[in-house]
Amino acid sequence: MTLATQLLDWYYQSARELPWRADKDAYKIWVSEIMLQQTRVEAVKNYYTRWIERFPTPAVLAEASEQEVLNYWQGLGYYSRARNLLAGVREVCAAYGGRVPDDQAAIQSLPGVGEYTAGAIASIAYNRPAPAIDGNVLRIFSRLFCLTGDITKQATKREVKRLVLTHLPTQYPGDFNQALMDLGALVCIPRRPRCENCPLTNLCEAFMREVQDTLPVRSPKKVPQLIRLAAGLVVKDGSYLVHQRPTTGMLARMWEFPTVELADGEGAVERLQAGLLQEFRQDVHVGKSVFHYIHTFSHRKWDISFYQCEWLAGDKLPTTACWLSSSELTSMPWAGPHHKVALACQNTPNL
Ligand code: SF4
């Protein structure tokens, strides 16, 4: 039997039941793939279900405001994905009559859609013979063919793509790609692959040579840069001072409580007090720290403390800032741990 036949036999017996597999709707596959980019399947299920209830079609999503879309994305992180999804869906409505195109190149030209996602949509929804190569597939094929090149390098990725295309069955490309997704999630997992449950042991060179635990080869990841931050919970007449981050860069246009970055050895209280005066024209007395979080992004790690601040006096706010009542706090798309603090402030007024 061929690799594809063995893999498909296994898949048809043990495929995972996932909400986006209920039908082969290109828009739903698109949403699920974007959500799954940085998040585990179990965590995505609830977000996905809620999303499809509210935005069941591209046309409905295209009409929604960015703020509402970001609210529905809240908790999944990497908000540029949600913005790109919204922009992509609007393009689908404007240029393709609301139907996701069935050509891989056209799908890949949509905002935020890379080669992997375009391949997944084209193969699963439209049965196009497109590969969908992500980290799972790179790992599986590195093991199956005992590839010892670094999987972060283009040369290794090209070799994996060549191998996948060699084995991709033209009749069932979508099922083949989904079978690889399941194999990577359930059996050929990153550490200690469960070879005893694998349908491909008789074809796997790494298994036969007993080197599966050493593959794939990958250069070490960079350690995220640690950034110390102090944020102020400034309350005036029951409303909190909040501001929107710049329109470009990390967490663009997300909301946060006024925050300052601390240099090495710099005191949080003095720096926060000065920052509120210089950037927000508000004179405050900085009190005690009430929340502390370590929040890791892909390249950065925030070490952030939130301080109670007593408002003393102030001038007009910059255009990026405003006062929000505690009941309005959770209607905003928040940057990282600011969301948890906004929830706490809403549940405990006068915090
Ligand atoms: S035999 Fe083991 S290493 Fe090889 S593909 Fe299967 S799970 Fe992965």
Side-chain angles (χ1 to χ4, degrees), residues 145-299:
F145 295 93
C146 236
L147 306 180
T148 52
D150 182 339
I151 57 160
T152 64
K153 299 277 187 265
Q154 285 307 320
T156 314
K157 290 181 181 176
R158 276 197 299 275
E159 176 60 3
V160 168
K161 185 173 180 180
R162 188 189 68 76
L163 289 164
V164 172
L165 282 169
T166 306
H167 292 278
L168 187 78
T170 48
Q171 277 182 299
Y172 310 104
D175 290 346
F176 180 80
N177 286 335
Q178 290 181 99
L180 286 173
M181 292 174 195
D182 284 11
L183 192 75
L186 305 173
V187 181
C188 198
I189 53 179
R191 283 190 206 149
R192 300 187 188 202
R194 298 168 182 147
C195 303
E196 65 280 9
N197 300 330
C198 182
L200 305 176
T201 43
N202 63 321
L203 301 172
C204 180
E205 285 186 39
F207 176 77
M208 288 185 260
R209 295 189 206 172
E210 298 183 4
V211 294
Q212 63 271 36
D213 287 322
T214 68
L215 294 172
V217 174
R218 177 200 303 272
S219 49
K221 276 190 185 167
K222 284 190 186 150
V223 178
Q225 180 195 4
L226 182 70
I227 298 175
R228 283 177 61 232
L229 301 164
L233 302 175
V234 185
V235 186
K236 180 183 140 193
D237 300 331
S239 292
Y240 288 82
L241 178 57
V242 298
H243 97 112
Q244 193 173 27
R245 291 174 65 88
T247 52
T248 56
M250 184 179 169
L251 299 168
R253 301 202 292 277
M254 305 303 289
W255 288 79
E256 62 185 13
F257 296 98
T259 302
V260 292
E261 186 170 335
L262 306 174
D264 276 351
E266 192 171 31
V269 170
E270 298 75 23
R271 175 75 186 89
L272 187 56
Q273 196 152 6
L276 281 160
L277 199 54
Q278 285 158 10
E279 292 174 41
F280 297 92
R281 306 181 199 116
Q282 304 302 305
D283 190 10
V284 305
H285 169 73
V286 179
K288 64 178 180 181
S289 167
V290 282
F291 297 104
H292 174 244
Y293 294 101
I294 302 282
H295 191 94
T296 304
F297 300 95
S298 53
H299 304 304

Side-chain angles (χ1 to χ4, degrees), residues 96 101-110 113-115 118-119 122 128 130:
Y96 301 98
D102 60 6
D103 168 70
Q104 188 184 3
I107 301 170
Q108 202 172 325
S109 73
L110 297 168
V113 178
E115 190 175 351
R128 303 277 172 194

